[in-house]
Amino acid sequence: MESIKIEILNPKAFEMIELMQDLKLIKVSDDPVSNLKKYLEYMRSNSDSAPSLEEITEITEQVRSERYGKK
């Protein structure tokens, strides 16, 4: 079994993929990896004390609540 990544440019192509999936010719799975996650993994590999994704999310939410909570 082989896996490939396909970028769909035409909505009709997506319909064809769904038909092939219905016929059990292919299996479609969503496993996107965000560019941010790739970048963070790269940066963490070069650092000993890089924050985790959870720590970054927590700090981001804190800053957003401080910034937008005052209005």
Side-chain angles (χ1 to χ4, degrees), residues 57-69:
T57 303
E58 183 180 320
I59 293 168
T60 303
E61 292 300 322
Q62 180 182 5
V63 169
R64 285 180 181 164
S65 67
E66 290 173 4
R67 178 178 290 169
Y68 301 117

Side-chain angles (χ1 to χ4, degrees), residues 2-7 27 29:
E2 295 183 45
S3 296
I4 59 172
K5 179 181 176 182
I6 299 173
E7 186 175 339
K27 178 181 175 185
S29 59

Side-chain angles (χ1 to χ4, degrees), residues 1 7 12 14 35 41 43 47 52 54 56 67:
M1 179 171 59
E7 186 175 339
K12 290 183 181 182
F14 187 73
N35 289 336
E41 288 173 358
M43 293 303 291
S47 175
S52 68
E54 290 80 21
I56 294 171
R67 178 178 290 169

Side-chain angles (χ1 to χ4, degrees), residues 34-49:
S34 71
N35 289 336
L36 174 62
K37 190 170 184 176
K38 286 182 196 176
Y39 178 73
L40 289 175
E41 288 173 358
Y42 170 74
M43 293 303 291
R44 284 189 194 111
S45 68
N46 296 328
S47 175
D48 293 334
S49 62

